[in-house]
Amino acid sequence: MPVILCHGPKGGTGTTFVAAHLAMGLSAEGADVTVLTFAARDTMPLHFGLSQAISLPSLTAPADEAVLVGGINLRHWTRSADDADLLPMLNDLGYLSPGKDRVMVLDVPSGDWRAARRIAQAACAHVCPLTVQPDSLALLPQMFDEAGTDGLSRTAFVINALDETRRLSRHGAAFVRELAGQRLVGRIRSDEAVPEAMAMLQPLSRYAPASAALSDVRAISGKLVDALHSTDPVWIAPSAASRAA
Amino acid sequence: MRIDARNLLDRLGRSDFSYKEFEDRFTDLELWPILEALLRDPRLQALDQPALQVAKSATRGNGEAPAPDERVPEAPKEQIQVLFSRYEHGSEPAAKASAPAPHPADSSGDVRALLRRLSAAVETEGAATGTAPREGDA
Ligand SMILES: Nc1ncnc2c1ncn2[C@@H]1O[C@H](COP(=O)(O)OP(=O)(O)OP(=O)(O)O)[C@@H](O)[C@H]1O
Ligand SMILES: [Mg+2]
């Protein structure tokens, strides 16, 4: 069952935002989605309209402690991202093997890049959000080096928080488009509605249904969902399969 | 979204809005040495990117600005699909995805040709959406 890693070379570039919306997109298509966050200081609940007072249960916590938002199961990995038990545990839970009824979206902070590399080797895709700011671009060579050709072949790049009124941003975006080519799955415009929704303790889709960032991130998750669909239809939960039929 | 922005969008009959393109010239792109430095970094060439091919064909005397539809499009579906090919065959979790062959590394790629092409891409976008006055920080 698919494990999708969200991890970028630089912090603060929207990895958690993208992971949250990818989970929502997959869930809207009928998949049974679990989000697993790794940040010691986690802000994932805010993207679901929850308050900062909520702390997410661990992966192994019983079902009655689960935090479910719109059917999405939000969990936190309480140990180090490097913990050797992680991949065996995911395997025991049925991930990392064929079957597409359940999907897990992992939000791994940029600093945990060693763990992210190990997870990427087992994951079916790596979604890599970045901004086109120079400090984000400057980390790309190192990230490419760590990922290697095989890792990069399963990496989908996303430009986040793009402000095309800025000359440097336009140039940076043109650079990433040329560099990543087919591996760039889209761009998300910078949009004040993203922090505003958090301030309102509302999901972005409720607070600002017309948000530019929302429509952009939906387009991206739509493409990734399409890609999942196309390889094998059996991952789809029955409700979505009957809708598609 | 602020209520005044909301009202403006309603008046324009739009659901979202972003500022559109300003003109950029090749010389503008040359202003950023970091882009040039990155292009020269051999580690960036691990990606199966079209950039170096393009740079090479440009040096073969084919240096005209590309037509808009020749620019790198959004990722076609088939190419994204390879991302998820991992679980298609067998149950071996570490099975290798069918990775496309890497381009042979060529650290002598023509950086100027690539920058020119980037510039052309940005300019074409600007032309397609009508040109606004240059921003003040230019
Ligand atoms: N498209 C966007 N437009 C405007 N603000 C955004 C956008 N995407 C993310 N943000 C804001 O940027 C900040 C960082 O986002 P996020 O927490 O998702 O990044 P991150 O890469 O997960 O950061 P960290 O390294 O702390 O884990 C947040 O305050 C978020 O509201
Ligand atoms: Mg984060």
Side-chain angles (χ1 to χ4, degrees):
Chain A
M1 280 166 262
V3 166
I4 301 175
L5 168 70
C6 295
H7 170 77
K10 176 123 181 19
T13 56
T15 304
T16 301
F17 168 70
V18 169
H21 284 270
L22 180 54
M24 294 178 217
L26 287 159
S27 176
E29 287 296 312
D32 177 354
V33 183
T34 297
V35 172
L36 186 61
T37 69
F38 287 76
R41 303 195 170 98
D42 187 33
T43 53
M44 181 63 81
L46 292 173
H47 292 281
F48 288 87
L50 302 175
S51 95
Q52 85 294 340
I54 305 262
S55 62
L56 300 181
S58 80
L59 184 57
T60 49
D64 62 351
E65 291 176 25
V67 172
L68 288 164
V69 186
I72 300 171
N73 197 342
L74 303 181
R75 299 274 174 165
H76 181 65
W77 182 255
T78 47
R79 301 187 230 164
S80 149
D82 275 316
D83 195 294
D85 285 344
L86 172 66
L87 290 176
M89 199 180 286
L90 294 186
N91 200 29
D92 290 347
L93 289 169
Y95 296 98
L96 311 181
S97 51
K100 295 186 176 178
D101 51 331
R102 290 189 295 147
V103 183
M104 182 176 276
V105 176
L106 279 66
D107 173 18
V108 178
S110 60
D112 288 319
W113 63 271
R114 273 196 196 81
R117 275 308 0 130
R118 280 196 305 117
I119 295 166
Q121 276 164 26
C124 71
H126 168 198
V127 175
C128 180
L130 34 101
T131 70
V132 295
Q133 296 308 308
D135 47 0
S136 191
L137 299 181
L139 296 174
L140 285 176
Q142 194 183 342
M143 184 234 149
F144 277 35
D145 203 30
E146 289 153 10
T149 316
D150 184 46
L152 287 172
S153 74
R154 271 174 290 106
T155 303
F157 293 91
V158 171
I159 295 175
N160 186 34
L162 181 61
D163 177 358
E164 289 187 309
T165 66
R166 301 281 154 204
R167 201 160 49 104
L168 180 55
S169 297
R170 289 196 299 282
H171 295 172
F175 178 83
V176 172
R177 276 188 206 108
E178 283 293 326
L179 181 73
Q182 64 194 25
R183 308 242 163 266
L184 180 67
V185 286
R187 60 94 174 91
I188 303 164
R189 285 165 283 177
S190 176
D191 185 350
E192 194 59 15
V194 175
E196 283 180 5
M198 290 196 262
M200 295 297 287
L201 297 180
Q202 288 179 17
L204 184 56
S205 57
R206 168 133 44 89
Y207 172 70
S211 154
L214 180 65
S215 74
D216 293 342
V217 73
R218 276 184 172 157
I220 288 166
S221 85
K223 277 194 203 171
L224 294 172
V225 169
D226 281 351
L228 266 178
H229 271 297
S230 60
T231 51
D232 188 346
V234 297
W235 74 279
I236 315 171
S239 61
S242 57
R243 245 189 294 138
Chain B
M1 193 183 307
R2 276 167 43 171
I3 190 72
D4 50 352
R6 176 74 268 165
N7 289 340
L8 179 61
L9 284 181
D10 287 345
R11 289 222 311 270
L12 292 169
R14 305 261 317 238
S15 64
D16 62 38
F17 178 77
S18 72
Y19 293 97
K20 273 295 175 183
E21 313 298 338
F22 306 86
E23 202 176 339
D24 295 299
R25 278 187 295 270
F26 174 43
T27 47
D28 293 337
L29 284 159
E30 279 191 310
L31 286 177
W32 315 118
I34 193 169
L35 298 185
E36 195 161 332
L38 284 166
L39 286 171
R40 291 192 193 284
D41 192 315
R43 293 173 297 178
L44 270 195
Q45 291 162 21
L47 196 63
D48 46 37
Q49 87 277 50
L52 289 170
Q53 279 180 317
V54 169
K56 272 184 260 170
S57 71
T59 55
R60 266 186 246 118
N62 181 19
E64 279 163 37
D69 57 358
E70 280 180 291
R71 286 184 294 127
V72 178
E74 300 207 30
K77 259 191 197 169
E78 318 79 65
Q79 264 124 10
I80 304 175
Q81 281 165 18
V82 83
L83 287 173
F84 293 97
S85 61
R86 161 140 281 183
Y87 299 131
E88 261 184 301
H89 317 290
S91 55
E92 177 52 55
K96 296 230 164 178
S98 50
H103 278 289
D106 178 5
S107 52
S108 68
D110 185 338
V111 174
R112 287 181 62 87
L114 179 51
L115 285 173
R116 214 174 298 127
R117 183 175 145 87
L118 287 173
S119 167
V122 175
E123 272 174 39
T124 316
E125 275 169 33
T129 49
T131 330
R134 295 187 59 99
E135 69 194 290
D137 69 353

